[in-house]
Each structure stands twice: as structure tokens, then as C-alpha cells.
């Protein structure tokens, strides 16, 4: 099957967590024999920041881990999207694309018999509905929403004929336990400070408990303002900046525990969406303690796969208990890994995606399409 994916970036995960899941999905599809191509705008925001701050080395290292990464860059000002859709069977367009491109691909769907899906992995449908209204989805076959509450928003808005819940998951080719790596610190948190969507929660569930317990802790991420860095220093937390996602399994292995601190929109407006970090942490076999979020879809076994702290005091007690009890840490790690391998790998998500495709494929209109092989324009280079 010919699968064409339009995303912000597969090459860069600088403040761009969707790249994690995308790499795993693409690898799984390729392993099953599908022809997959990912299109990203050249000099996109994430890749531009990565290059300016870290040079070309991260992308070179990524390509050594994913030698078949099918990334195609294009110039948004001179891109004939139909040239890459002629022989497509399945096309997925991520919500972090220009609305003009989203509409052009939708228009092409009227002329070519491919299944077209819109993939939403953000909270803007709730927090910025005026922005999402700019996306013309009338020619799309449906939406892949990364949580049931988000899927229900699309159903209620009647923006598309159908919508499915399609959670993120762990790429277990990369995210797996590393028992050969020696632990040398207590706690690690991997995440971006961002736009103050969880600044209060980070202070309550990460910074203050670490400070009170005197844990040896490290933080990785980007977009930390000066006042946030000062809070980390005051708590004795080492700030280590951006971390390539392919290094995360090794970093988890060097620490005894990690925490999950969801962004406020996901706990209040879109409950039930864990985002990708808990999937990846549990896949690596590291004990996890999370700030409150409601697992409305029964994705995990709270209390068995991870511990839940309702406030800062409970987080402090949970972390102290894990520091003092290696057997408890091992039990949590074993349970969490078991759940990931049974239900939440990229292989599971590809199974779900192909099932959705086959639901839609028989009803696709088969209007005559332009004759000719699919090709990449000369100005669209293999990145």
C-alpha cells in the first residue's frame, strides 16, 4: 500500500513530541512492506530550532538509527501536492500543518481514490477552536483523535463523517529496558517548560518534592525561562537542556524513578489523554509516579502500572517510598512494561490504523484519476 503522511517533521523532535510516535508508526508500516513517505516543509520551526541550537549532528545520528527514514522536504511556496498523491492509497495529514495545505489535500481527495484522514494530537480543538475552524475538512474521510474526549469534540462539531480514537504508543524497537546501564541518580523528568501550561504543577509535583527529599535529580527539555531555571537550581536539580528522543531510554535506565506532569488542558479540558511520555517511560521499565490525570479509557492500571499522587504531599510520600523500597520499584516497572507490550506499542496502533483503512476503502469513490506514475518534483528533495 502507498501511504503518504504530511507532518510538521519526522526529522526533528525539538519541542515536537509528535515525531516520537510518527517514527515508530512509519517503521512498523515499512516492516510490513508498505511504501511510506513523510512530507515536511523545509526549514520548519522545529527543525530550524534544532539546527540553530545543535547543528546537524542530531539528524545524522537519527538517520543512523532509522536508516530507512522516508523524509521528503518541500518548499511550501512551490509545491504541487497532487504530484505526490497520484498513486496514494492512504493519506494522513497532521493538524500541525498550514491550513492551506490541509485544504489542498482535501481538494485532491475529490479527484483521486485515496482514503484521507486528519490526525489531531493537540488540545486546540478545545483551547483555540477559532484556529481549528480554519482547517477545511469537508473532503476528509475522518479524523484520528488521540483521545476519546477529543474524538467526541469532532463528532459533536460534525466536522467530518467519522472520527476514531487513536492513542499514541511506544516504539518498542527503541523504547525498552536497558538493564546493562548502571543507575547513577534518583529521578529524571523529561519535558519542556513551554507556555506556562503546567508551571504551577511542575513546582508542586516535581520541584518541591525533590527539594524536600534531597533527591539527586535531573531535568531535560527546552524553553525554560530564567525564573524556571532559578527554581531548579534552588531545588538542587541539574538542568541538562534538550535531549534527543533516541537517547531517552538510556537516560531512563540511569535513574531510579521518573514522574509525569500533564499539561493543564489535558487534565481539565481533555481528560483521559496521557500524551506519549508515560507510554515511553513504562516501555523502558522505569517506575513512574504521575500527577493527577483521569484514565477515563482504562488504558492502564493506576496503582499497579504507576503510582498516582493527588497533590504535592502525596508525590513526596510516593517518591520516598520508592527510594526506600527497591522491590516496589521492580514491581511497578514489571507491571507497566507488561501493559505496554500487551496493549500500547506502535504495532498495536498500526493494526488499528489498517482496520480503519479497510473500513473506509470499499466505499471510496473510484473516479478516473490522471494517468502517470507518482513522482517527486525536482524541487522536493530527499532530506
Amino acid at each position: 500500500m502507498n501511504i503518504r503522511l504530511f507532518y510538521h517533521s519526522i526529522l526533528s523532535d525539538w519541542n515536537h513530541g509528535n515525531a516520537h510516535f510518527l517514527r515508530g508508526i512509519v517503521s512498523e508500516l515499512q516492516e510490513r512492506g508498505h511504501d511510506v513517505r513523510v512530507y515536511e516543509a523545509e526549514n520548519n520551526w522545529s527543525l530550524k530550532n534544532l539546527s540553530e541550537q545543535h547543528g546537524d549532528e542530531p539528524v545524522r545520528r537519527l538517520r543512523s538509527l532509522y536508516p530507512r527514514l522516508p523524509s521528503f522536504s518541500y518548499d511550501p511556496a512551490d509545491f504541487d501536492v497532487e504530484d505526490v498523491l497520484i498513486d496514494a492509497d492512504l493519506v494522513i495529514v497532521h493538524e500541525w500543518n498550514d491550513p492551506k495545505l490541509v485544504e489542498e489535500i482535501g481538494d485532491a481527495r475529490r479527484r483521486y481514490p485515496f482514503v484521507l484522514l486528519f490526525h489531531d494530537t493537540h488540545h486546540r480543538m478545545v483551547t483555540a477552536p477559532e484556529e481549528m475552524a480554519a482547517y477545511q475538512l469537508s473532503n476528509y474521510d475522518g479524523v484520528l483523535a488521540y483521545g476519546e474526549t477529543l474524538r467526541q469534540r469532532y463528532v459533536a462539531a460534525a466536522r467530518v463523517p467519522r472520527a476514531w480514537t487513536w492513542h499514541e504508543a511506544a516504539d518498542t524497537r527503541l523504547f525498552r529496558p536497558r538493564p546493562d546501564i548502571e543507575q547513577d541518580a534518583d529521578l529524571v523528568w523529561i519535558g519542556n517548560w513551554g507556555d506556562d501550561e503546567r508551571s504551577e504543577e511542575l513546582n508542586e509535583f516535581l520541584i518541591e518534592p525533590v527539594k524536600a527529599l534531597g533527591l539527586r535529580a535531573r531535568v531535560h527539555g527546552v524553553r525554560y525561562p530564567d525564573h524556571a531555571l532559578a527554581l531548579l537550581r534552588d531545588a538542587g536539580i541539574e538542568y541538562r537542556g534538550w535531549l534527543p528522543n533516541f537517547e531517552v531510554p538510556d537516560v531512563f535506565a540511569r535513574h531510579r524513578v521518573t514522574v509525569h506532569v500533564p499539561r493543564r488542558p489535558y487534565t481539565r479540558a481533555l481528560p483521559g489523554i496521557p500524551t506519549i511520555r508515560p507510554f515511553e517511560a513504562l516501555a523502558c521499565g522505569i517506575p513512574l509516579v504521575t500527577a493527577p490525570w483521569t484514565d477515563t479509557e482504562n488504558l492502564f492500571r493506576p496503582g499497579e502500572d504507576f503510582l498516582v499522587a493527588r497533590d504535592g504531599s502525596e508525590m513526596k510520600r510516593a517518591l520516598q517510598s520508592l527510594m526506600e523500597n527497591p522491590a516496589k520499584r521492580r514491581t511497578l516497572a514489571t507491571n507497566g512494561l507488561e501493559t505496554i507490550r500487551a496493549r500500547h506499542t506502535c504495532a498495536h496502533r498500526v493494526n488499528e490504523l489498517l482496520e480503519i483503512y479497510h473500513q473506509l476503502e470499499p466505499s471510496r469513490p473510484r473516479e478516473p484519476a490522471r494517468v502517470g506514475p507518482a513522482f517527486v518534483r525536482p524541487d522536493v528533495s530527499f532530506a
Side-chain angles (χ1 to χ4, degrees):
M1 187 162 64
N2 296 325
I3 302 173
R4 307 295 178 249
L5 309 176
F6 293 82
Y7 279 74
H8 181 73
S9 182
I10 194 173
L11 295 178
S12 174
D13 55 51
W14 191 96
N15 200 66
H16 177 45
N18 304 122
H20 310 181
F21 179 56
L22 179 59
R23 292 167 186 167
I25 290 297
V26 167
S27 298
E28 181 66 28
L29 287 167
Q30 287 181 318
E31 189 170 293
R32 300 187 190 195
H34 298 288
D35 177 17
V36 187
R37 299 182 184 184
V38 182
Y39 294 91
E40 60 180 85
E42 62 186 26
N43 202 34
N44 60 70
W45 178 81
S46 179
L47 189 60
K48 182 175 183 288
N49 276 280
L50 177 63
S51 177
E52 289 177 349
Q53 299 186 32
H54 302 279
D56 298 329
E57 182 62 19
V59 173
R60 285 197 294 268
R61 292 177 62 198
L62 174 70
R63 287 202 174 280
S64 70
L65 289 170
Y66 295 89
R68 299 173 59 203
L69 203 66
S71 173
F72 293 77
S73 63
Y74 64 89
D75 179 358
D78 184 25
F79 181 45
D80 185 351
V81 70
E82 291 198 20
D83 286 347
V84 300
L85 297 176
I86 295 172
D87 66 346
D89 297 298
L90 172 62
V91 178
I92 302 177
V93 184
H94 188 245
E95 49 85 16
W96 202 357
N97 273 297
D98 187 278
K100 182 175 181 291
L101 178 68
V102 174
E103 184 174 4
E104 288 177 351
I105 296 174
D107 288 341
R109 168 65 179 80
R110 298 163 59 186
R111 294 182 288 279
Y112 299 100
F114 54 79
V115 167
L116 178 58
L117 298 171
F118 186 71
H119 187 197
D120 194 338
T121 61
H122 203 263
H123 54 68
R124 287 190 297 164
M125 190 68 174
V126 174
T127 59
E130 69 286 351
E131 293 182 16
M132 296 307 294
Y135 292 92
Q136 298 300 317
L137 304 180
S138 57
N139 294 315
Y140 282 66
D141 294 300
V143 163
L144 301 172
Y146 83 145
E148 175 61 18
T149 55
L150 185 59
R151 186 195 73 83
Q152 291 173 4
R153 293 278 179 164
Y154 277 95
V155 171
R159 298 275 317 271
V160 289
R162 302 178 70 176
W164 294 266
T165 299
W166 198 46
H167 283 286
E168 294 181 313
D171 178 5
T172 50
R173 295 171 182 79
L174 177 65
F175 288 86
R176 61 185 188 275
R178 301 287 203 274
D180 54 310
I181 296 179
E182 184 178 354
Q183 294 178 342
D184 62 6
D186 297 318
L187 181 148
V188 64
W189 187 71
I190 302 171
N192 306 321
W193 189 273
D195 302 315
D196 288 325
E197 290 178 324
R198 55 182 167 192
S199 53
E200 295 175 9
E201 292 84 350
L202 285 172
N203 191 61
E204 179 179 4
F205 291 97
L206 172 66
I207 297 172
E208 288 301 324
V210 166
K211 181 179 180 180
L213 294 172
L215 300 181
R216 183 177 180 185
R218 297 166 181 150
V219 163
H220 293 268
V222 300
R223 299 176 68 196
Y224 279 72
D226 289 342
H227 73 272
L229 295 175
L231 288 172
L232 295 181
R233 286 194 298 270
D234 180 66
I237 298 173
E238 182 181 1
Y239 174 63
R240 291 201 166 188
W242 177 72
L243 178 71
N245 199 51
F246 52 76
E247 291 185 4
V248 167
D250 289 356
V251 170
F252 276 149
R254 289 196 290 270
H255 296 82
R256 294 175 180 84
V257 67
T258 188
V259 298
H260 175 50
V261 184
R263 295 179 187 272
R264 207 168 301 130
Y266 295 121
T267 60
R268 297 182 182 179
L270 291 171
I273 299 177
T275 71
I276 199 166
R277 288 299 185 188
F279 293 113
E280 293 178 340
L282 298 180
C284 290
I286 184 172
L288 170 69
V289 187
T290 177
W293 68 276
T294 305
D295 187 6
T296 57
E297 299 179 55
N298 299 313
L299 299 173
F300 302 105
R301 301 169 295 183
E304 297 182 44
D305 296 335
F306 50 75
L307 302 182
V308 180
R310 291 173 295 182
D311 54 33
S313 296
E314 285 196 1
M315 177 63 79
K316 177 183 172 182
R317 290 195 294 271
L319 292 174
Q320 184 172 23
S321 173
L322 289 174
M323 290 299 103
E324 297 172 350
N325 193 333
K328 188 173 184 178
R329 295 201 302 269
R330 287 193 296 270
T331 298
L332 271 185
T334 298
N335 291 346
L337 181 59
E338 176 184 74
T339 294
I340 293 296
R341 289 177 173 174
R343 302 179 58 193
H344 302 306
T345 69
C346 285
H348 290 102
R349 299 300 181 259
V350 165
N351 289 342
E352 295 165 6
L353 176 62
L354 296 180
E355 181 179 343
I356 291 167
Y357 170 80
H358 290 301
Q359 290 176 25
L360 294 168
E361 194 272 341
S363 62
R364 290 187 301 165
R366 296 188 176 276
E367 301 172 1
R370 183 172 51 175
V371 176
F375 64 95
V376 179
R377 290 168 57 88
D379 58 325
V380 182
S381 60
F382 186 79

